[in-house]
PDB file of all heavy atoms in Angstrom:
ATOM      1  N   PHE A 150      -5.974  -0.770 -41.747  1.00 98.00           N
ATOM      2  CA  PHE A 150      -7.020  -0.732 -42.825  1.00 98.00           C
ATOM      3  C   PHE A 150      -8.396  -0.797 -42.263  1.00 98.00           C
ATOM      4  O   PHE A 150      -9.343  -0.818 -43.012  1.00 98.00           O
ATOM      5  CB  PHE A 150      -6.783  -2.060 -43.647  1.00 98.00           C
ATOM      6  CG  PHE A 150      -5.667  -1.826 -44.698  1.00 98.00           C
ATOM      7  CD1 PHE A 150      -4.601  -2.737 -44.650  1.00 98.00           C
ATOM      8  CD2 PHE A 150      -5.793  -0.964 -45.745  1.00 98.00           C
ATOM      9  CE1 PHE A 150      -3.514  -2.575 -45.605  1.00 98.00           C
ATOM     10  CE2 PHE A 150      -4.728  -0.810 -46.649  1.00 98.00           C
ATOM     11  CZ  PHE A 150      -3.610  -1.661 -46.555  1.00 98.00           C
ATOM     12  N   ARG A 158      -3.792   6.581 -42.463  1.00 98.00           N
ATOM     13  CA  ARG A 158      -3.823   5.182 -41.901  1.00 98.00           C
ATOM     14  C   ARG A 158      -2.430   4.439 -42.025  1.00 98.00           C
ATOM     15  O   ARG A 158      -2.359   3.314 -41.645  1.00 98.00           O
ATOM     16  CB  ARG A 158      -4.946   4.383 -42.442  1.00 98.00           C
ATOM     17  CG  ARG A 158      -4.955   4.240 -43.982  1.00 98.00           C
ATOM     18  CD  ARG A 158      -6.146   3.393 -44.465  1.00 98.00           C
ATOM     19  NE  ARG A 158      -6.134   3.178 -45.819  1.00 98.00           N
ATOM     20  CZ  ARG A 158      -7.081   2.435 -46.492  1.00 98.00           C
ATOM     21  NH1 ARG A 158      -8.036   1.903 -45.694  1.00 98.00           N
ATOM     22  NH2 ARG A 158      -7.033   2.257 -47.714  1.00 98.00           N
ATOM     23  N   HIS A 177      -5.499   1.251 -51.056  1.00 97.00           N
ATOM     24  CA  HIS A 177      -5.496  -0.226 -50.901  1.00 97.00           C
ATOM     25  C   HIS A 177      -5.709  -0.742 -52.354  1.00 97.00           C
ATOM     26  O   HIS A 177      -6.118  -0.111 -53.170  1.00 97.00           O
ATOM     27  CB  HIS A 177      -6.565  -0.769 -49.873  1.00 97.00           C
ATOM     28  CG  HIS A 177      -8.028  -0.286 -50.147  1.00 97.00           C
ATOM     29  ND1 HIS A 177      -8.527   0.706 -49.479  1.00 97.00           N
ATOM     30  CD2 HIS A 177      -8.901  -0.771 -50.977  1.00 97.00           C
ATOM     31  CE1 HIS A 177      -9.757   0.880 -49.893  1.00 97.00           C
ATOM     32  NE2 HIS A 177     -10.001   0.018 -50.841  1.00 97.00           N
ATOM     33  N   GLY A 178      -5.516  -2.101 -52.319  1.00 98.00           N
ATOM     34  CA  GLY A 178      -5.600  -2.785 -53.691  1.00 98.00           C
ATOM     35  C   GLY A 178      -6.893  -2.777 -54.292  1.00 98.00           C
ATOM     36  O   GLY A 178      -7.915  -2.813 -53.494  1.00 98.00           O
ATOM     37  N   GLY A 182     -13.116  -7.525 -56.326  1.00 95.00           N
ATOM     38  CA  GLY A 182     -14.182  -6.782 -55.769  1.00 95.00           C
ATOM     39  C   GLY A 182     -13.994  -5.772 -54.691  1.00 95.00           C
ATOM     40  O   GLY A 182     -14.962  -5.292 -54.082  1.00 95.00           O
ATOM     41  N   SER A 183     -12.697  -5.449 -54.451  1.00 96.00           N
ATOM     42  CA  SER A 183     -12.467  -4.392 -53.501  1.00 96.00           C
ATOM     43  C   SER A 183     -13.232  -3.071 -53.867  1.00 96.00           C
ATOM     44  O   SER A 183     -13.368  -2.873 -55.103  1.00 96.00           O
ATOM     45  CB  SER A 183     -11.061  -4.048 -53.392  1.00 96.00           C
ATOM     46  OG  SER A 183     -10.308  -4.931 -52.612  1.00 96.00           O
ATOM     47  N   THR A 184     -13.733  -2.404 -52.864  1.00 96.00           N
ATOM     48  CA  THR A 184     -14.384  -1.087 -53.207  1.00 96.00           C
ATOM     49  C   THR A 184     -13.710  -0.069 -52.356  1.00 96.00           C
ATOM     50  O   THR A 184     -12.831  -0.393 -51.489  1.00 96.00           O
ATOM     51  CB  THR A 184     -15.968  -1.115 -52.786  1.00 96.00           C
ATOM     52  OG1 THR A 184     -16.061  -1.367 -51.436  1.00 96.00           O
ATOM     53  CG2 THR A 184     -16.674  -2.182 -53.657  1.00 96.00           C
ATOM     54  N   LYS A 185     -14.068   1.172 -52.508  1.00 94.00           N
ATOM     55  CA  LYS A 185     -13.399   2.302 -51.744  1.00 94.00           C
ATOM     56  C   LYS A 185     -13.578   2.057 -50.243  1.00 94.00           C
ATOM     57  O   LYS A 185     -12.699   2.351 -49.472  1.00 94.00           O
ATOM     58  CB  LYS A 185     -13.949   3.631 -52.240  1.00 94.00           C
ATOM     59  CG  LYS A 185     -13.641   3.938 -53.538  1.00 94.00           C
ATOM     60  CD  LYS A 185     -14.191   5.325 -54.066  1.00 94.00           C
ATOM     61  CE  LYS A 185     -13.682   5.675 -55.428  1.00 94.00           C
ATOM     62  NZ  LYS A 185     -14.334   6.936 -55.838  1.00 94.00           N
ATOM     63  N   ASP A 186     -14.807   1.575 -49.834  1.00 92.00           N
ATOM     64  CA  ASP A 186     -15.086   1.442 -48.425  1.00 92.00           C
ATOM     65  C   ASP A 186     -14.954   0.027 -47.837  1.00 92.00           C
ATOM     66  O   ASP A 186     -15.028  -0.333 -46.648  1.00 92.00           O
ATOM     67  CB  ASP A 186     -16.381   2.028 -48.041  1.00 92.00           C
ATOM     68  CG  ASP A 186     -17.538   1.500 -48.834  1.00 92.00           C
ATOM     69  OD1 ASP A 186     -17.331   0.769 -49.918  1.00 92.00           O
ATOM     70  OD2 ASP A 186     -18.677   1.590 -48.416  1.00 92.00           O
ATOM     71  N   HIS A 187     -14.737  -1.051 -48.724  1.00 94.00           N
ATOM     72  CA  HIS A 187     -14.641  -2.419 -48.272  1.00 94.00           C
ATOM     73  C   HIS A 187     -13.464  -3.106 -49.094  1.00 94.00           C
ATOM     74  O   HIS A 187     -13.715  -3.813 -50.083  1.00 94.00           O
ATOM     75  CB  HIS A 187     -15.970  -3.143 -48.551  1.00 94.00           C
ATOM     76  CG  HIS A 187     -17.046  -2.692 -47.679  1.00 94.00           C
ATOM     77  ND1 HIS A 187     -17.012  -2.911 -46.276  1.00 94.00           N
ATOM     78  CD2 HIS A 187     -18.167  -2.042 -47.959  1.00 94.00           C
ATOM     79  CE1 HIS A 187     -18.124  -2.367 -45.793  1.00 94.00           C
ATOM     80  NE2 HIS A 187     -18.844  -1.798 -46.753  1.00 94.00           N
ATOM     81  N   PRO A 188     -12.242  -2.929 -48.539  1.00 96.00           N
ATOM     82  CA  PRO A 188     -11.068  -3.584 -49.265  1.00 96.00           C
ATOM     83  C   PRO A 188     -11.240  -5.070 -49.024  1.00 96.00           C
ATOM     84  O   PRO A 188     -11.649  -5.589 -48.009  1.00 96.00           O
ATOM     85  CB  PRO A 188      -9.898  -3.016 -48.529  1.00 96.00           C
ATOM     86  CG  PRO A 188     -10.363  -2.484 -47.222  1.00 96.00           C
ATOM     87  CD  PRO A 188     -11.820  -2.109 -47.444  1.00 96.00           C
ATOM     88  N   VAL A 189     -10.779  -5.811 -50.101  1.00 97.00           N
ATOM     89  CA  VAL A 189     -10.720  -7.322 -50.055  1.00 97.00           C
ATOM     90  C   VAL A 189      -9.278  -7.607 -49.944  1.00 97.00           C
ATOM     91  O   VAL A 189      -8.365  -6.990 -50.648  1.00 97.00           O
ATOM     92  CB  VAL A 189     -11.295  -8.018 -51.313  1.00 97.00           C
ATOM     93  CG1 VAL A 189     -11.064  -9.469 -51.254  1.00 97.00           C
ATOM     94  CG2 VAL A 189     -12.775  -7.646 -51.348  1.00 97.00           C
ATOM     95  N   PHE A 190      -8.807  -8.523 -49.078  1.00 98.00           N
ATOM     96  CA  PHE A 190      -7.421  -8.882 -48.831  1.00 98.00           C
ATOM     97  C   PHE A 190      -7.189 -10.226 -49.368  1.00 98.00           C
ATOM     98  O   PHE A 190      -7.989 -11.153 -49.116  1.00 98.00           O
ATOM     99  CB  PHE A 190      -7.060  -8.702 -47.296  1.00 98.00           C
ATOM    100  CG  PHE A 190      -7.340  -7.419 -46.762  1.00 98.00           C
ATOM    101  CD1 PHE A 190      -8.502  -7.091 -46.106  1.00 98.00           C
ATOM    102  CD2 PHE A 190      -6.442  -6.369 -46.961  1.00 98.00           C
ATOM    103  CE1 PHE A 190      -8.765  -5.813 -45.622  1.00 98.00           C
ATOM    104  CE2 PHE A 190      -6.619  -5.089 -46.452  1.00 98.00           C
ATOM    105  CZ  PHE A 190      -7.811  -4.874 -45.817  1.00 98.00           C
ATOM    106  N   SER A 199      -4.572  -5.930 -51.517  1.00 98.00           N
ATOM    107  CA  SER A 199      -3.639  -5.764 -50.347  1.00 98.00           C
ATOM    108  C   SER A 199      -3.590  -6.943 -49.557  1.00 98.00           C
ATOM    109  O   SER A 199      -4.480  -7.797 -49.518  1.00 98.00           O
ATOM    110  CB  SER A 199      -4.073  -4.613 -49.574  1.00 98.00           C
ATOM    111  OG  SER A 199      -4.128  -3.367 -50.271  1.00 98.00           O
ATOM    112  N   LYS A 289      -6.349  -5.342 -39.957  1.00 96.00           N
ATOM    113  CA  LYS A 289      -7.713  -4.885 -39.926  1.00 96.00           C
ATOM    114  C   LYS A 289      -8.385  -5.551 -38.766  1.00 96.00           C
ATOM    115  O   LYS A 289      -8.190  -6.565 -38.423  1.00 96.00           O
ATOM    116  CB  LYS A 289      -8.339  -5.348 -41.252  1.00 96.00           C
ATOM    117  CG  LYS A 289      -9.773  -4.770 -41.391  1.00 96.00           C
ATOM    118  CD  LYS A 289     -10.270  -4.783 -42.859  1.00 96.00           C
ATOM    119  CE  LYS A 289     -11.765  -4.497 -42.868  1.00 96.00           C
ATOM    120  NZ  LYS A 289     -11.996  -3.077 -42.486  1.00 96.00           N
TER     121      LYS A 289
END
Side-chain angles (χ1 to χ4, degrees):
F150 283 117
R158 58 181 183 177
H177 57 259
S183 279
T184 63
K185 291 179 178 180
D186 55 346
H187 291 295
V189 174
F190 301 97
S199 299
K289 183 163 174 62

